[in-house]
Amino acid sequence: MLRQSIATLKKSSLIMMFGLIVNNRYLKLIFAAVIMAAAAGCSIPDEPVLPQWQFSLVRIPIMGPDTIDIGAELANENLVAEGADSLFHIKFEGSEQIGISEQLKQEAVNPAPFSGSIGNFAIGGNSGQTVTIGITEAFPFLAGQGGSSIPIPSGALPRIEKPITLNNFSEVTFVSGDIGIQITNNLNFVLGKPINIELFDVGNNATVDAVVFSGTISANGGTAQQSFDLSGKTMSNNLKVIITGNEDGTGINPVTINENLSFTIEVSMSNLVASSATANIPDQNFSISQSVDVGTDSFRVISADITSGSIVLDFTSEFPFPIQMDVELTDITTSPGNPISTIITIPANSSSQSMISLANTTMSLGDGNMDFGITVSTQSGNQTFTVNATDAITTTVSVTKLVFSSVTADINVGTDFPSFEKQVIDLDFDVPDIKFDDMIFTLIFVDNPVNLDITLNLTGKKSGKSDVQANYSFSLIGGIDNTVVINNTGITVNGASSGSGSGLADVINLLPETIFFSGSAQINFDNATLTNQPITINYTVDIAFIFSIPSGAVLEGDTIKISFDSENPKDDKDIRDILRDFFKGGSLDFTLANGIPIGGELSLHVADTLTAQSADPASWPVLISFHFDGAETDPLTGDITGMPDQEISVGITEAQVKILADSYFAFWFVTLDPVIKGSLHSTDKIFLRKSFLSGEITVNTDLFDKFEDIGDKGKGGG
């Protein structure tokens, strides 16, 4: 649009100036005027001769006043007149989108594995182991006294050792637990006092503990209990009970001796918790709670609606028995609001994998960590196993790529600015060095959900020219529509000066055929909420037709085919013969009032077919050249201040006429006058006040014959 507007302007004015030279219709008018003048001013001889006259044509009017309306000539949907002065603006606009959907994802992450150990664990208790001490074992002096009635003297009991084997473990280190010692006195006299009981670990050659029954124990079934704490003790199941103490006796009171009587010691265990054991391991549960960082350096989810993705859990068990894992992801829920969960059984000393689909779930991480709640159930069945508190399950978490329909996250990621190419105009000739002074590139970002750092690159492209770059960067505020205005002096965002960059004027003044837009958008925002809704960019480029032209700028036209009658080659040849043989040169004089601020020296170069094919147009012969002035302008504003009439005379010699007659191609150049500042308006006009043709022409019967042949379709062309 930019280059087309200027091209139309130049063509409109130049065609008006030069059309007279190569237009068959005007040549015919000239010839008619010549013939009428000859008929009116000459007598015809009586005798047949070949008469010949030489005529001077002086300022024959050839065209009445004419006006070129710039607004009509440049009518185009992209060229808009605005303001009270109807200043032309070149405008083009469009709409693009920054797709957010590509950012609604988190790439796969593999957090560090975590382990959960069983810790201190329960072992099975026992129903109690009992040892019996017979009356004669404790009181050897009563041996052989069965049936006698005698008093029992006081005195020390002998050291008695009784082996005991516990059936619930073979080796254990206790964290906690109790051993109960109960003495049941089935003798017919009191037992004690005191009675000392020591529990000795034969396997480890160490005393486990000892208790003292300081009172007497009643006869005939009397009992007494003591217990001791197993915390921190390591023991085997190969034990013995060591009994010592004293007997108070019966004094002077006799008792009947029954050698079948005895007393018993029962050893029982309860509330057993171990840190290490080879023991009966009852079924039991323990829990693992773990927070796993599933974020990345650039993306930490706070909450999200997940459309696809999964979590893969790899479990490795060190336990010698199967375990059941009840896994609950407390931060991920299904549509009813229930946490995602799964159950998996892992064989003894083995590994298993479980994949949990997260499709159509909601994630609420809060701190960016995913919380796992795992309940482990042992399937040990109170069988004997060797277990340590450090025995563990190692869990490896792999989170596949997660795709969201919406997400709230701490985000620091980049996305591409939409790349697109906008065609400005495809022009077949160049407009040199014109510089526009007033341009505005407006971008409105709609539905911008988060803060964005934008990098915007504009690349002007033009055939035969190096690309020209403009680069800008600016920041947008999330949650509002943002208006960015870039002009040739700077950049504003929402009305405030902001951002940085340059180059818009350079791109525009390249007069590019296309402008390529590209860049990036960086999202760097905490607690940002993104959805599938894209960010719409509505953009407008507005170039006010205020310009400058440097000294020495040269405007080049295009090659024009010279044909005095394109439909009838014979007429074309006859007109060329008339010019060559009868027209001796002359001048075209016209009065012009130029209402646009463009002027310069115009040169029209012509060439025959061979020269046109082999030589550069700049080296072709110059047919005519003349200077025309542009409108006067205010150098500060570019407003047109005056458009005085200018008299222009274009002379052509007889030799130049012959060159024209032999030429089939033309090319024009305009060396433009410098313009400090100019402007173009829809109300601007170019006025042709008057035009005259002067020259010398030879008239004879050959001319009449040639003139009569022009337009005669009955004759074949040559």
Side-chain angles (χ1 to χ4, degrees):
M1 180 59 234
L2 173 60
R3 301 172 69 222
Q4 186 181 44
S5 301
I6 300 172
T8 305
L9 168 65
K10 302 297 176 63
K11 283 184 174 179
S12 298
S13 56
L14 294 174
I15 288 173
M16 181 200 73
M17 297 176 190
F18 316 131
L20 299 177
I21 300 173
V22 294
N23 190 298
N24 182 26
R25 181 168 61 92
Y26 284 113
L27 284 173
K28 291 181 179 179
L29 290 175
I30 293 169
F31 297 150
V34 171
I35 292 170
M36 290 174 65
C42 301
S43 60
I44 305 299
D46 294 332
E47 295 296 326
V49 294
L50 293 176
Q52 179 169 295
W53 299 273
Q54 194 76 23
F55 286 97
S56 294
L57 308 177
V58 181
R59 294 178 63 81
I60 297 176
I62 60 171
M63 187 175 181
D66 196 6
T67 300
I68 295 178
D69 186 333
I70 299 301
E73 291 291 333
L74 299 186
N76 189 288
E77 63 180 0
N78 296 113
L79 191 63
V80 180
E82 294 183 348
D85 60 353
S86 300
L87 178 68
F88 271 131
H89 290 253
I90 302 167
K91 288 189 173 183
F92 59 90
E93 60 187 19
S95 180
E96 297 291 334
Q97 291 183 331
I98 298 178
I100 297 297
S101 59
E102 280 300 308
Q103 302 311 314
L104 294 176
K105 64 184 179 183
Q106 178 178 287
E107 296 302 327
V109 293
N110 296 290
F114 64 89
S115 296
S117 61
I118 190 171
N120 300 326
F121 54 92
I123 65 171
N126 65 3
S127 57
Q129 298 292 314
T130 302
V131 296
T132 301
I133 300 93
I135 189 171
T136 57
E137 189 176 5
F139 304 96
F141 61 87
L142 295 179
Q145 299 291 326
S148 302
S149 180
I150 60 175
I152 303 298
S154 62
L157 296 176
R159 178 186 175 92
I160 302 171
E161 297 183 6
K162 290 289 188 178
I164 185 172
T165 301
L166 300 178
N167 58 8
N168 59 326
F169 66 89
S170 58
E171 184 79 20
V172 62
T173 297
F174 290 102
V175 174
S176 63
D178 300 309
I179 286 186
I181 306 294
Q182 177 173 297
I183 299 176
T184 301
N185 183 13
N186 293 314
L187 302 174
N188 55 356
F189 52 86
V190 297
L191 182 64
K193 55 182 179 183
I195 299 295
N196 304 313
I197 304 296
E198 178 185 356
L199 187 62
F200 187 81
D201 184 352
V202 177
N204 292 309
N205 195 30
T207 297
V208 177
D209 213 334
V211 293
V212 176
F213 293 83
S214 57
T216 59
I217 302 170
S218 302
N220 300 312
T223 60
Q225 296 88 23
Q226 290 277 6
S227 65
F228 53 83
D229 187 7
L230 289 173
S231 299
K233 298 183 184 298
T234 297
M235 58 187 291
S236 70
N237 67 342
N238 184 10
L239 306 173
K240 64 181 178 180
V241 177
I242 301 173
I243 305 108
T244 60
N246 287 295
E247 171 59 40
D248 281 356
T250 61
I252 62 172
N253 299 314
V255 294
T256 300
I257 303 303
N258 182 350
E259 292 188 43
N260 293 323
L261 298 180
S262 62
F263 65 91
T264 61
I265 298 174
E266 182 183 15
V267 178
S268 60
M269 307 180 77
S270 60
N271 304 317
L272 302 181
V273 177
S275 61
S276 177
T278 299
N280 295 346
I281 308 298
D283 290 344
Q284 54 196 286
N285 298 333
F286 65 93
S287 298
I288 302 172
S289 296
Q290 184 71 31
S291 291
V292 176
D293 186 352
V294 294
T296 66
D297 291 341
S298 59
F299 207 99
R300 297 189 64 81
V301 174
I302 298 171
S303 62
D305 292 326
I306 304 173
T307 57
S308 67
S310 60
I311 291 179
V312 179
L313 302 175
D314 287 287
F315 300 104
T316 299
S317 171
E318 298 175 353
F319 293 103
F321 41 76
I323 58 172
Q324 178 177 287
M325 308 277 289
D326 188 346
V327 182
E328 184 174 85
L329 280 65
T330 57
D331 296 326
I332 302 177
T333 57
T334 59
S335 54
N338 299 320
I340 289 285
S341 62
T342 188
I343 296 175
I344 182 171
T345 299
I346 306 174
N349 296 308
S350 186
S351 298
S352 291
Q353 185 181 83
S354 176
M355 185 175 73
I356 304 173
S357 173
L358 302 183
N360 303 314
T361 62
T362 298
M363 175 188 291
S364 299
L365 300 186
D367 58 0
N369 293 327
M370 185 180 295
D371 293 333
F372 287 81
I374 303 175
T375 300
V376 182
S377 300
T378 69
Q379 296 180 347
S380 47
N382 206 34
Q383 300 299 306
T384 300
F385 297 99
T386 298
V387 179
N388 292 288
T390 56
D391 289 347
I393 303 156
T394 299
T395 304
T396 300
V397 179
S398 299
V399 182
T400 67
K401 182 173 77 173
L402 301 179
V403 179
F404 312 115
S405 59
S406 66
V407 61
T408 299
D410 296 339
I411 303 173
N412 184 9
V413 296
T415 186
D416 289 335
F417 193 89
S419 296
F420 60 95
E421 194 165 26
K422 182 71 176 181
Q423 182 171 335
V424 181
I425 191 61
D426 183 12
L427 192 63
D428 59 358
F429 69 90
D430 203 1
V431 180
D433 300 325
I434 189 168
K435 303 297 180 186
F436 287 94
D437 296 333
D438 190 358
M439 59 205 67
I440 298 175
F441 180 24
T442 303
L443 303 101
I444 300 175
F445 293 79
V446 182
D447 297 325
N448 175 33
V450 296
N451 290 0
L452 289 177
D453 295 327
I454 300 291
T455 298
L456 176 62
N457 306 315
L458 287 74
T459 303
K461 295 178 177 292
K462 180 178 179 181
S463 300
K465 298 288 185 179
S466 298
D467 292 350
V468 175
Q469 292 270 354
N471 302 295
Y472 292 90
S473 60
F474 48 88
S475 297
L476 305 180
I477 300 172
I480 65 171
D481 293 348
N482 288 257
T483 300
V484 178
V485 177
I486 301 172
N487 56 33
N488 55 332
T489 61
I491 180 172
T492 63
V493 178
N494 300 323
S497 179
S498 180
S500 62
S502 62
L504 177 64
D506 296 332
V507 170
I508 296 300
N509 286 319
L510 176 67
L511 307 182
E513 296 162 2
T514 59
I515 298 177
F516 184 76
F517 297 80
S518 62
S520 63
Q522 184 73 24
I523 305 172
N524 189 357
F525 195 75
D526 290 343
N527 204 27
T529 298
L530 304 179
T531 67
N532 281 316
Q533 178 70 33
I535 300 173
T536 299
I537 308 170
N538 298 320
Y539 65 89
T540 302
V541 176
D542 182 350
I543 307 166
F545 223 119
I546 301 173
F547 60 92
S548 62
I549 299 176
S551 177
V554 177
L555 173 64
E556 296 183 6
D558 202 353
T559 301
I560 303 169
K561 187 174 182 180
I562 300 175
S563 177
F564 297 99
D565 193 327
S566 60
E567 296 181 357
N568 191 329
K570 181 181 183 303
D571 283 358
D572 179 74
K573 179 179 181 300
D574 288 344
I575 293 171
R576 290 177 184 277
D577 289 344
I578 290 172
L579 288 174
R580 185 183 300 108
D581 297 336
F582 300 99
F583 193 60
K584 305 304 179 181
S587 64
L588 176 66
D589 301 292
F590 55 91
T591 302
L592 180 72
N594 186 5
I596 62 174
I598 296 176
E601 182 73 22
L602 181 141
S603 298
L604 182 66
H605 297 238
V606 294
D608 57 24
T609 301
L610 180 62
T611 301
Q613 292 175 345
S614 61
D616 184 88
S619 66
W620 296 358
V622 177
L623 181 66
I624 58 171
S625 66
F626 63 89
H627 185 274
F628 63 98
D629 295 326
E632 298 171 351
T633 62
D634 185 326
L636 296 179
T637 65
D639 293 338
I640 295 173
T641 57
M643 44 181 295
D645 287 355
Q646 47 187 304
E647 303 291 338
I648 297 175
S649 179
V650 182
I652 183 170
T653 67
E654 183 176 359
Q656 289 173 315
V657 171
K658 294 183 182 301
I659 291 173
L660 174 62
D662 293 334
S663 297
Y664 288 87
F665 298 94
F667 196 97
W668 53 265
F669 299 84
V670 180
T671 301
L672 298 172
D673 293 338
V675 178
I676 297 175
K677 183 171 281 191
S679 58
L680 193 65
H681 310 76
S682 66
T683 54
D684 293 341
K685 293 177 174 57
I686 299 173
F687 298 97
L688 178 64
R689 306 294 192 195
K690 50 191 174 181
S691 59
F692 302 94
L693 179 67
S694 301
E696 297 289 332
I697 188 168
T698 299
V699 178
N700 58 27
T701 56
D702 289 341
L703 174 62
F704 283 98
D705 291 341
K706 290 284 186 183
F707 188 71
E708 288 177 357
D709 286 344
I710 294 174
D712 188 348
K713 304 300 181 181
K715 298 181 179 181

